[in-house]
Amino acid sequence: EHVFGSQVVLAELSWNSDSCCVCRRQGHLRKDIRKTLSLLVKTFTFPMQKSTDQELAILSTRGSFTTNFYDFLCSYMSLCAQNPFSPEHNEKGIINMGTAVNRLMEKELTERLNKDDILKYNSSFQHYYDFSGSEELRNAVAGFFTRHLCPENPVDSNNLVVMNGVTSCLDSLAHTLCDPGDVIITPTPVYGRIFTDFSDRSGVTVMPLHLSEKPNSDGISFFLDHTMLESRIQEVKSKGQSVRAFILLHPHNPLGDVYSHEHIRKLMHVCARYQIHFISDEIYALSVFAEGTKHSSVLAMKDIPDPQRTHVLWGFSKTFSIMCNSVGGNPLMQVILITCIRDIPPTILPSLGDAAHNIMNIRGILPTILPALGGCHPQYYLHHKEADLSKTYNKCYTSFLGVIGKLRKTEYTLFMVVFLKSFVTS
């Protein structure tokens, strides 16, 4: 978490009755980091609790499954929120090291959101409108995408659907593209919630495409090759399972890799050959800070092999530091590019209906703030954020390198891979 803050905090582990780790701050732990990291790399298995007869009498089988499905990040995020660390008020509090929170530009964002020109409310906000998002918001986001992700390939706002979180986008994609038991493939290591986001409600199975830590002939570790994807698809299909989609985190979480259009096109051709949907999760698209490097968005690609099966996700949280925050009492929206979801009634996907009503309270805010925060002049938000991110990343990398010795530094984005095998004692 503190990669994004003004300090780097290492942690020790304490154990509760469930034998699950909780990260707590303990002053300056540089001297004890080897002992600390040997604990951090322990692997835990969390068995699903068995449904009780009472639960089955009240809930559906699906509801009981969801109730008893253990999710480490969600459970401990709640625990951390109940007892947060504070250097002034709660030194023994918990630091959440499992949730990415961008704190670099909080001051600047707060000042901008407090300007008098942010919200101009009018009575039309109280009326029903397109459930894919208000026209003002979709136009603002389309313009923002065009300026910063695909200036030569303008985004049509009619191809945008607004929802209340990338998690909701993934859930809706699973609902619209897959049947229960169908398979979505993703390269691993990967952001852990990908598995549950697709499976929680829709019953979709996410299968890994394992990338090797061993460097290839070009010296690149965890290299994603299109032939590997094709082999994995064939392997899954040979077992009688239906592969419906491939999702790529681009830039990748946690590898930090940025993929070229040529690289992506090869993956797309494989997906098109097997009529598999290609999903590009680009939530970190504007967190690329290496000088001379630019994110190659799928939105900017020409001649996409199978455009009807190509979908792009993006959200405000990692760029604008406003995840899980609220304006007007409602969460800020995030965006999914997929046309089929536009036709789904809100009664089928409540999250989509909720998103549409939430837009009522922010439709006057984001159309105002996006042009201001996303301007191309160096004084604007994105350029300040890029510089701060690069400075903080290098500080963090140097600190870890001096203690651990083996890291995989990304050249483009905010991730680093820490190799902890040498700290494992058994």
Side-chain angles (χ1 to χ4, degrees), residues 320-341:
F320 291 120
S321 318
I322 49 180
M323 79 294 279
C324 301
N325 245 345
S326 61
V327 175
N330 292 284
L332 291 173
M333 302 299 101
Q334 300 189 338
V335 180
I336 178 175
L337 274 75
I338 177 172
T339 56
C340 63
I341 294 182

Side-chain angles (χ1 to χ4, degrees), residues 48 53 65 70 85 106 113 172 196 208 214 219 221 223 261 278-279 339 355 360 399:
M48 183 184 297
D53 291 338
F65 175 87
Y70 186 88
F85 165 79
E106 286 183 338
L113 288 173
S172 298
T196 49
K214 184 178 179 181
S221 58
F223 182 73
H261 281 169
F278 184 94
I279 304 168
T339 56
M360 180 181 71
S399 297

Side-chain angles (χ1 to χ4, degrees), residues 10-13 29 32-41:
L10 305 177
E12 70 169 354
L13 301 181
L29 297 179
D32 301 323
I33 189 170
R34 293 186 179 274
K35 178 180 178 181
T36 300
L37 293 178
S38 68
L39 294 175
L40 281 170
V41 297

Side-chain angles (χ1 to χ4, degrees), residues 9-67:
V9 179
L10 305 177
E12 70 169 354
L13 301 181
S14 62
W15 306 94
N16 65 12
S17 58
D18 295 325
S19 296
C20 303
C21 65
V22 179
C23 298
R24 295 182 180 271
R25 184 183 190 275
Q26 180 153 342
H28 302 285
L29 297 179
R30 255 183 112 83
K31 296 179 180 179
D32 301 323
I33 189 170
R34 293 186 179 274
K35 178 180 178 181
T36 300
L37 293 178
S38 68
L39 294 175
L40 281 170
V41 297
K42 286 181 179 288
T43 301
F44 303 94
T45 301
F46 302 99
M48 183 184 297
Q49 301 174 21
K50 188 176 181 179
S51 301
T52 65
D53 291 338
Q54 183 180 10
E55 286 176 343
L56 293 175
I58 298 174
L59 303 175
S60 65
T61 302
R62 179 178 53 198
S64 180
F65 175 87
T66 300
T67 299

Side-chain angles (χ1 to χ4, degrees), residues 3-253:
V3 167
F4 300 100
S6 60
Q7 59 179 316
V8 177
V9 179
L10 305 177
E12 70 169 354
L13 301 181
S14 62
W15 306 94
N16 65 12
S17 58
D18 295 325
S19 296
C20 303
C21 65
V22 179
C23 298
R24 295 182 180 271
R25 184 183 190 275
Q26 180 153 342
H28 302 285
L29 297 179
R30 255 183 112 83
K31 296 179 180 179
D32 301 323
I33 189 170
R34 293 186 179 274
K35 178 180 178 181
T36 300
L37 293 178
S38 68
L39 294 175
L40 281 170
V41 297
K42 286 181 179 288
T43 301
F44 303 94
T45 301
F46 302 99
M48 183 184 297
Q49 301 174 21
K50 188 176 181 179
S51 301
T52 65
D53 291 338
Q54 183 180 10
E55 286 176 343
L56 293 175
I58 298 174
L59 303 175
S60 65
T61 302
R62 179 178 53 198
S64 180
F65 175 87
T66 300
T67 299
N68 289 281
F69 187 87
Y70 186 88
D71 185 282
F72 178 88
L73 285 179
C74 288
S75 298
Y76 281 87
M77 182 170 66
S78 176
L79 184 63
C80 292
Q82 295 171 22
N83 184 26
F85 165 79
S86 168
E88 295 85 13
H89 308 295
N90 190 15
E91 290 189 353
K92 295 185 177 181
I94 303 171
I95 291 177
N96 179 4
M97 299 181 71
T99 305
V101 179
N102 181 354
R103 296 184 172 181
L104 286 175
M105 301 290 289
E106 286 183 338
K107 178 182 177 182
E108 291 82 355
L109 185 70
T110 300
E111 291 176 353
R112 184 66 186 94
L113 288 173
N114 282 326
K115 296 287 186 180
D116 293 337
D117 64 341
I118 285 294
L119 176 61
K120 297 185 183 301
Y121 188 85
N122 65 71
S123 60
S124 67
F125 293 1
Q126 300 166 214
H127 303 163
Y128 289 106
Y129 44 83
D130 191 335
F131 285 110
S132 60
S134 71
E135 183 178 0
E136 297 96 325
L137 177 57
R138 286 188 287 109
N139 286 338
V141 174
F144 180 81
F145 281 174
T146 299
R147 287 193 301 276
H148 297 286
L149 297 179
C150 50
E152 298 180 0
N153 194 25
V155 173
D156 185 348
S157 63
N158 290 319
N159 291 330
L160 292 177
V161 173
V162 179
M163 304 192 75
N164 59 341
V166 167
T167 292
S168 295
C169 295
L170 296 174
D171 174 49
S172 298
L173 279 173
H175 178 90
T176 54
L177 304 182
C178 306
D179 291 318
D182 283 350
V183 173
I184 293 177
I185 294 174
T186 190
T188 57
V190 71
Y191 164 63
R193 282 288 303 177
I194 283 292
F195 296 90
T196 49
D197 286 348
F198 280 120
S199 66
D200 273 351
R201 290 205 300 173
S202 299
V204 175
T205 300
V206 179
M207 288 193 172
L209 171 61
H210 295 293
L211 305 183
S212 175
E213 176 187 331
K214 184 178 179 181
N216 64 6
S217 57
D218 296 322
I220 303 174
S221 58
F222 301 104
F223 182 73
L224 172 59
D225 187 85
H226 67 282
T227 60
M228 296 166 55
L229 173 59
E230 184 157 24
S231 297
R232 185 62 167 140
I233 293 171
Q234 292 174 347
E235 177 188 0
V236 175
K237 289 174 70 70
S238 69
K239 298 177 181 178
Q241 294 176 283
S242 173
V243 181
R244 292 289 296 162
F246 169 75
I247 181 168
L248 177 67
L249 278 59
H250 172 52
H252 196 273
N253 175 3

Side-chain angles (χ1 to χ4, degrees), residues 202-392:
S202 299
V204 175
T205 300
V206 179
M207 288 193 172
L209 171 61
H210 295 293
L211 305 183
S212 175
E213 176 187 331
K214 184 178 179 181
N216 64 6
S217 57
D218 296 322
I220 303 174
S221 58
F222 301 104
F223 182 73
L224 172 59
D225 187 85
H226 67 282
T227 60
M228 296 166 55
L229 173 59
E230 184 157 24
S231 297
R232 185 62 167 140
I233 293 171
Q234 292 174 347
E235 177 188 0
V236 175
K237 289 174 70 70
S238 69
K239 298 177 181 178
Q241 294 176 283
S242 173
V243 181
R244 292 289 296 162
F246 169 75
I247 181 168
L248 177 67
L249 278 59
H250 172 52
H252 196 273
N253 175 3
L255 297 176
D257 291 340
V258 175
Y259 304 98
S260 67
H261 281 169
E262 180 184 4
H263 195 152
I264 293 173
R265 194 180 303 278
K266 291 178 180 178
L267 297 169
M268 284 182 165
H269 276 297
V270 172
C271 292
R273 190 154 50 245
Y274 291 90
Q275 297 186 332
I276 291 172
H277 290 262
F278 184 94
I279 304 168
S280 182
D281 182 346
E282 302 189 13
I283 194 169
Y284 286 101
L286 298 175
S287 295
V288 176
F289 57 80
E291 186 175 352
T293 301
K294 188 176 181 181
H295 172 69
S296 301
S297 175
V298 168
L299 296 176
M301 293 181 66
K302 303 287 186 180
D303 301 321
I304 291 176
D306 190 354
Q308 293 301 315
R309 291 187 178 88
T310 302
H311 317 285
V312 179
L313 313 182
W314 182 81
F316 293 102
S317 60
K318 302 303 183 281
T319 299
F320 291 120
S321 318
I322 49 180
M323 79 294 279
C324 301
N325 245 345
S326 61
V327 175
N330 292 284
L332 291 173
M333 302 299 101
Q334 300 189 338
V335 180
I336 178 175
L337 274 75
I338 177 172
T339 56
C340 63
I341 294 182
R342 294 175 63 90
D343 299 322
I344 300 175
T347 51
I348 294 178
L349 286 179
S351 59
L352 182 55
D354 293 343
H357 288 287
N358 286 335
I359 294 167
M360 180 181 71
N361 292 292
I362 67 164
R363 61 192 295 185
I365 297 175
L366 289 180
T368 301
I369 198 173
L370 280 177
L373 291 181
C376 294
H377 192 279
Q379 71 179 356
Y380 283 85
Y381 179 95
L382 291 178
H383 293 272
H384 284 295
K385 170 180 171 288
E386 181 179 314
D388 286 353
L389 187 58
S390 177
K391 178 180 178 181
T392 308

